[in-house]
Amino acid sequence: MRTSRYRRNSKLLLGAGVLLALYLALLIALSATGQIRLRESLLTQQRQGLENQATAVAYFLANQKTALADLASRQSIQDLLAKRKLGISARDSLGDDLDAAEQDIAHLVRQQRAHGHSVFHSIALVERDGRILTEIQGPDGAPAAADTYQVRLPTVSGGIELGHDADGTQLKLSAPVHHATELAGFLIAQITPGPVLAPFLAATTTPQAAQSTALMGVHDQLLAASDDHDWSSARQQPARDRDRELRIAIPDTNFYLISLPELALRQGVLTSPLFLAALALVAVLLVVGVGYMLRLNNHNLLLQQRWRQAGKHIAALRKHNQQLQREIDKRLAAQRQLTHQANFDELTSLPNRNLALDRLTQAMKRAKRENGSVVIFFLDLDRFKQVNDSLGHAAGDELLREAAERLLSRVRDSDTVSRLGGDEFLVICPEEQPQFNWEQLAQELLRVLAKPFYTADHEFFVGASIGIATYPEAGSEPQQLLKNADIAMYSAKQAGRNRYRSYNPSMDAAAVASTRLENNLRRALERQELHLVFQPIVELNSGTTVAVEALLRWTSKDLGVVEPDRFIPIAEESGMIHEIGEWLLVEACRTISAMQPDNEFRVAINLSSKQFSRPGRLLDCTLYALKTSGLMPSQLELEITESILIDDSAETTDLIHQLDRIGVRLSIDDFGTGYSALNYLQRFPFDVLKIDRSFTQQIPHSESNASLIRAIMATARALSLEVVAEGVENREQAGFLLVQHCNFGQGYLYSEPMSAEQLALHLAGERAMSA
């Protein structure tokens, strides 16, 4: 087995070596081809850079020629040469003209600068015979020595030539000076090309080219170079190398730029032959290393095979164990989740109804064995539905969680707090100690739930009603005990909420009666058992009826006449107030419209605070009642209790302002009995303020009530509100109200509530008397 494996590995080694050799040969060939293409690319790039340099130099020289030609055309230059042509002495009679010419020349010398250097080494004004009249030298534009000498005149008018002086090779620019179409002389400027032109060679090409570029004359004389390279020795190289140089002529001149590309190309790593040699050496070392690694591999094959087999067995066992563990964990987690869901409330994490009943059963069994007792507290949040309807379920859930935490903070560790569902909670307290005071605990629970709740940036006062039942007095079975605590809780709600009641047997009859009343009320609309009566609102001065208040009445076929203070709270608690309130609004508008009163006559309707939990529905019903009845919006007056304004919710505020915008009159009912505040009257667009009957009935005998009415009248006058006094039953009360400038009243002194037919006759009689 080992021999066959070794032979197989040897063949693999040989094949790998051949493939590696072919690969390295291909790599070297591609590298050589890449070097050739890279060199060609660099040469092309250098040629383009050299052309850009030639253009820049040509542009620079053309600018200097233009500047010199402009100087030659100046009047001071032409006048000086013209006078010299006439034979006037330059130093004796032409002093002013000479000074003016020198100033113009010096100005040009100082003005023309390039790359921080003065362009002109000197500018000379020369006569036709070659004698120099004046010469200005740079960079300061100072005149040269006054000795007169001659220079060689330019061979080409307006051209560029080479010159030599003590400072080396110079570029000479000349410009003819004419006077009256005749040649009068020349301006000859000298430019030292080294410091002026060298920056052009460096600034307009690549860094590689800038190291090997120079400006040459027609006789290969070096004028300017971009570095310190020894160009004299470079120019003496063999003709074979000089043929490789790049040469670009400068437009409109006798000069050219040359570049020795080999000087730059030899500096590249990739273009160097040494790169190929280094690549070949790496290839040899790589082949040797691969061969050595393959040889080592032959000795390790058997060990690796055994190790892999053992690893496979271990991995299979580990995978199987992990699958079993995951299945066990999944089943345990599912079991825990099911147990938690079956016994705990998901929202508050409190025990739910199932676990609460189980703990109640255990507590009652233990109390029976030990001759003890168990007290349970059935709690229902009073105004939770209003919060849930106005702010949504998210705010309601947050309120329930906060209520649960508050309850837990007030009970013992041995007690159980559970959520039965909705806004109902149950507290189970085994009486392990005789001194346990359940009344004190009930008061503490009411106090902690009466504190404000802060939800969704709103402050709410919710409160709770608590029903209390004790084992064994209130029941011997868990369900019976829970039912009796529920009955006691509803008794607390009917007594005014935010209080507690302990169960007693008499509550059973009241609970049965309440249930019967609610069941009959649900069928009252379809049986047409509800009807309206109307109580006139009169002007106190004349006794004339100016409005009526629509009042709801119920005559049940089974229960007979049911007072409003009995069925209205049940309608509000059960949610039927919305349907009943809508029927009242539509029926009242239809009835008054059928009597065809004048446009000033109006009907007042009292709204329940529960109706404001659905502001959109209430607004739609109001618009529908006005549209179907034909009443004008100003003939409808909606009475709002002060308790609605306490919530200060955005939805309630928007609804009140929308009703005001469509023209409906708004009145605040029972003013002074609740949380009266002047800011409510200022913030909301009320038209009418109604004084509650509890104040009116005690005047004029109660001085305190009389003072309150005076204060209310003063407030109404300051805010331009109409005032209606309720419960006016005798003339003394009416007289007191008239003295206080109260214009409108309502009560038995003027009329009891009457049916629609009686109201029609009443209004017809008033109209007949006024006619």
Side-chain angles (χ1 to χ4, degrees), residues 214 216 220 222 227-239 241-242 245 258 260 263 266:
M216 294 290 184
D220 288 356
L222 180 65
D227 62 358
D228 297 331
H229 184 73
D230 187 4
W231 283 87
S232 59
S233 60
R235 301 298 298 151
Q236 297 174 2
Q237 60 183 319
D241 293 335
R242 294 189 62 184
E245 68 184 17
I258 66 168
L260 300 180
L263 297 177
R266 289 170 187 170

Side-chain angles (χ1 to χ4, degrees), residues 120-196:
F120 296 111
H121 177 266
S122 65
I123 298 178
L125 181 59
V126 183
E127 295 184 81
R128 286 189 306 174
D129 55 3
R131 286 185 297 177
I132 297 176
L133 289 178
T134 183
E135 183 176 8
I136 302 300
Q137 294 183 345
D140 298 328
D147 295 338
T148 301
Y149 57 92
Q150 289 187 326
V151 296
R152 184 174 63 85
L153 295 177
T155 58
V156 179
S157 178
I160 304 175
E161 302 177 357
L162 285 178
H164 301 277
D165 57 14
D167 296 327
T169 304
Q170 302 287 337
L171 285 177
K172 288 188 176 183
L173 278 69
S174 63
V177 180
H178 294 85
H179 181 73
T181 69
E182 293 185 4
L183 182 64
F186 296 92
L187 281 173
I188 299 177
Q190 293 187 5
I191 299 176
T192 303
V196 176

Side-chain angles (χ1 to χ4, degrees), residues 334-389:
Q335 184 177 358
R336 286 193 298 269
Q337 183 177 3
L338 289 174
T339 302
H340 188 273
Q341 291 177 350
N343 294 287
F344 290 90
D345 177 55
E346 184 177 358
L347 178 63
T348 61
S349 298
L350 294 177
N352 60 11
R353 178 181 289 270
N354 293 331
L355 184 56
L357 287 175
D358 180 70
R359 292 187 179 180
L360 178 58
T361 301
Q362 299 302 323
M364 292 173 66
K365 289 180 179 180
R366 184 166 54 252
K368 183 177 181 180
R369 289 194 306 267
E370 300 175 0
N371 196 24
S373 62
V374 179
V375 181
I376 64 172
F377 300 81
F378 195 109
L379 295 91
D380 184 87
L381 302 181
D382 287 335
R383 305 179 67 197
F384 172 75
K385 189 174 185 301
Q386 184 174 355
V387 177
N388 213 33
D389 292 342

Side-chain angles (χ1 to χ4, degrees), residues 535 538 540 693-700 725-735 737 745-753:
Q535 186 172 29
V538 302
L540 295 181
R693 67 180 64 251
S694 61
F695 297 115
T696 307
Q697 289 175 351
Q698 298 184 32
I699 58 172
E726 297 179 322
V728 181
E729 297 180 355
N730 55 63
R731 297 194 178 278
E732 290 182 345
Q733 296 169 350
L737 293 171
Q746 175 184 354
Y748 285 0
L749 176 62
Y750 304 103
S751 175
E752 295 182 359

Side-chain angles (χ1 to χ4, degrees), residues 429-475:
C429 299
E431 287 196 36
E432 300 174 354
Q433 301 175 357
Q435 65 272 21
F436 177 72
N437 190 340
W438 58 265
E439 289 186 314
Q440 182 179 353
L441 178 58
Q443 293 171 1
E444 183 65 22
L445 295 179
L446 288 176
R447 185 161 47 252
V448 74
L449 293 177
K451 294 180 180 179
F453 287 83
Y454 298 94
T455 305
D457 296 329
H458 290 77
E459 181 184 58
F460 286 96
F461 293 89
V462 177
S465 298
I466 303 178
I468 304 171
T470 305
Y471 169 83
E473 292 82 2

Side-chain angles (χ1 to χ4, degrees), residues 2 39 68 75 80 110 140 274 276 278 337 341 349 369 380 443 500 524 619 676 737:
R2 291 186 178 180
R39 181 179 287 104
L68 195 63
Q75 191 66 37
L80 178 61
R110 289 191 298 269
D140 298 328
L274 295 177
L276 296 179
Q337 183 177 3
Q341 291 177 350
S349 298
R369 289 194 306 267
D380 184 87
Q443 293 171 1
Y500 66 89
L619 179 62
S676 301
L737 293 171

Side-chain angles (χ1 to χ4, degrees), residues 250 454 467 564 680:
I250 299 176
Y454 298 94
Y680 293 148

Side-chain angles (χ1 to χ4, degrees), residues 47-67:
R47 178 178 295 278
Q48 292 176 351
L50 207 60
E51 291 175 352
N52 293 338
Q53 291 174 349
T55 302
V57 172
Y59 180 75
F60 171 76
L61 294 176
N63 286 342
Q64 308 315 314
K65 289 168 62 178
T66 301

